[in-house]
Amino acid sequence: MLNDHQPDLAPITRHLRAMFGSRLLIAAVNHLHVFDHLSDGPLSITQLSERIQLQERPAMVLFPALCAMDLLSYTDGLLAITDLGRYLVQAQTPNLTGYVGLEKDDAGVIEMVNRLKNDGPLDASQGISFVKEGEGPSPMDDLELARSLTLGLSGRARRLSPIVAANLSRREGHLLDVAGGTGFYTYEWLLKNPSSTATILDRPAVLSVAAELLDELVKSDRAGAATLRDRVTFLPGDMLTDALPQTDLLLAASLFHDWPTPTCQMLANRFAASLRPGGELWVHDAFLNDTLDGPLAVTDYSAQLFWGTKGRAYSRAEYRRWFVEAGLEPTTENIPTQMDYGLIWARKPAL
C-alpha cells in the first residue's frame, strides 16, 4: 500500500522524459527553423504545419512542447514567438541558435527530425515498440518482449494503483481493465470492493505475467488478498477487434495515448458499448492542458510517446469530445494522482 508520507516520484520520470523534449527543441531550432518562420508574425497551427511540412500528430507534439517551454504562445488560434523565443531567431542579435545547434547532429536529434517529418519512423519495426501495426501480430505476443515491458512498467503500476483504486467509484459490480498489463489496478480496486469481480483484457503473454503477480499478492499478508484469484478473470484478446464483455466500470490506464486520434475515437465507442446503463468509463493518463500549451512534464512525455508509439498525450477536452461522440456523459472532475497523471471519467446514461 502507498504510504501518504512517500514522495511523488514525478521528478524521476520528468528527468527521463526531458531527453525527448530537448530533441524537439533542437529539431525546431536547427532543422525545422520554426522560429524563423514565425519571425514576421503569428501563424495558425495549420499554416505553420504546412510551412514546415508536419502532419497533425507531430505538429501536436512539437507546438505544445515549445509553448510549455515558454518559447511560443498560443492565443486565439495563433502561434507567436515569446520574448524568450525571440532569441532563437537567426536574425536576432544576439541569439542562441548556434549554441543550440552544437547538438544538431546528435543521432537522437536526427532521428527525431526524421520522425517529425514522417509522422513516425520510416521502418515501423524500429520505432513502434509496443503497439500493433496493421493486421499483423502484436509485438506484445513476443514472450520475452512482453515480459520485459510488463515488468518494466510494474514499479509505476505498484505505486499508482492504490491511489487510482482509492479514487475510482466504490460499488458492487464488475470492472473491465482493458490492456490491464500487470493487473495491479484491478487487484487494488478489488481489495477495496470485496463483493465485486473483474476481468483483465490483454495479450496472452502479458496476462501470464499478470497471473504471476497475482500469485505473489495472494500469498502476501494483505487483507482480502486470498479472495482475489476467484474474483479475477484473465481474458486474452485484442481490444481493437474482439468483443468486449459487458461491465459496470471500464478502466483505461495509460491506453489511449498509444494511438492516433481516429483510433482513440473508435476505442471510446467500443468501450461505451461494453458499459451497462449507468456504467462508468475511467481514464488514467497524463493530460495536456486544454489550452495545448503544457504542462512541460506532459509535453516531454508526449514526445516520448510519439517516439515509441502511434499516439501522443491528449488534453482532457479531447478525451471529453470522444466521450460525447461515443454517447457518454463526461463529468467535470479532474482528479490528480501522482507522477503527472490524473483521472477523468464519464457515465453511460441509465435506461
Side-chain angles (χ1 to χ4, degrees):
M1 293 290 291
L2 184 70
N3 185 312
D4 289 340
H5 299 294
Q6 291 177 327
D8 188 342
L9 304 185
I12 297 173
T13 53
R14 288 173 186 171
H15 289 307
L16 168 68
R17 294 163 180 168
M19 170 178 67
F20 297 93
S22 294
R23 290 171 178 170
L24 286 181
L25 172 62
I26 301 166
V29 174
N30 298 105
H31 294 272
L32 302 176
H33 306 291
V34 167
F35 298 90
D36 295 322
H37 282 290
L38 288 170
S39 61
D40 291 331
L43 294 170
S44 69
I45 288 177
T46 300
Q47 289 171 322
L48 184 54
S49 298
E50 289 176 349
R51 287 199 183 188
I52 62 178
Q53 299 183 316
L54 291 188
Q55 297 180 50
E56 185 271 346
R57 185 175 74 118
M60 294 309 297
V61 170
L62 178 62
F63 300 146
L66 297 177
C67 289
M69 296 174 193
D70 195 29
L71 302 173
L72 297 182
S73 64
Y74 183 55
T75 308
D76 297 327
L78 294 176
L79 289 164
I81 302 176
T82 63
D83 290 342
L84 181 63
R86 185 66 56 182
Y87 288 88
L88 294 173
V89 176
Q90 292 189 59
Q92 166 82 19
T93 302
N95 68 71
L96 294 183
T97 59
Y99 190 81
V100 175
L102 293 174
E103 303 297 331
K104 66 183 175 63
D105 296 322
D106 174 81
V109 172
I110 297 299
E111 182 59 25
M112 180 63 84
V113 173
N114 290 334
R115 294 184 187 210
L116 287 168
K117 289 182 175 179
N118 295 289
D119 192 13
L122 288 175
D123 181 357
S125 66
Q126 298 302 311
I128 305 300
S129 303
F130 308 117
V131 292
K132 186 176 179 181
E133 180 69 21
E135 298 301 320
S138 168
M140 298 310 290
D141 289 333
D142 181 286
L143 293 176
E144 184 175 345
L145 175 61
R147 185 174 189 81
S148 174
L149 176 65
T150 306
L151 290 176
L153 296 174
S154 65
R156 182 182 69 178
R158 283 183 191 269
R159 185 52 172 263
L160 291 172
S161 55
I163 306 172
V164 171
N167 284 285
L168 295 182
S169 295
R170 293 197 181 191
R171 58 188 291 177
E172 184 174 341
H174 192 78
L175 169 72
L176 174 61
D177 189 351
V178 180
T182 62
F184 283 129
Y185 294 97
T186 290
Y187 308 151
E188 291 293 339
W189 185 80
L190 288 175
L191 289 173
K192 291 185 177 296
N193 296 270
S195 299
S196 296
T197 57
T199 297
I200 302 173
L201 174 72
D202 215 315
R203 309 302 293 188
V206 176
L207 292 179
S208 67
V209 179
E212 292 179 20
L213 296 172
L214 176 59
D215 287 339
E216 174 188 308
L217 181 56
V218 167
K219 295 173 184 176
S220 72
D221 59 359
R222 289 283 300 276
T227 71
L228 292 180
R229 189 177 286 111
D230 294 332
R231 298 162 57 204
V232 176
T233 299
F234 295 106
L235 179 63
D238 185 339
M239 67 179 179
L240 299 173
T241 57
D242 292 342
L244 301 177
Q246 293 290 288
T247 191
D248 300 298
L249 272 75
L250 190 149
L251 175 62
S254 298
L255 184 158
F256 283 94
H257 67 213
D258 285 343
W259 303 96
T261 302
T263 304
C264 289
Q265 182 65 71
M266 181 267 285
L267 287 170
N269 295 345
R270 287 176 58 78
F271 296 166
S274 75
L275 289 173
R276 299 186 180 104
E280 301 168 4
L281 169 58
W282 287 80
V283 172
H284 185 243
D285 219 311
F287 302 103
L288 291 175
N289 298 334
D290 288 350
T291 48
L292 302 177
D293 55 2
L296 182 61
V298 180
T299 60
D300 284 345
Y301 188 30
S302 190
Q304 182 183 28
L305 293 167
F306 172 74
W307 183 274
T309 76
K310 298 178 184 179
R312 61 174 176 87
Y314 296 99
S315 69
R316 295 175 182 86
E318 289 174 290
Y319 279 94
R320 286 168 175 148
R321 286 196 292 270
W322 301 332
F323 296 163
V324 170
E325 181 66 25
L328 301 176
E329 298 172 343
T331 70
T332 58
E333 282 192 277
N334 301 326
I335 304 169
T337 55
Q338 282 195 4
M339 297 171 67
D340 298 308
Y341 293 92
L343 284 162
I344 60 173
W345 67 287
R347 182 184 293 107
K348 188 168 185 174
L351 292 178

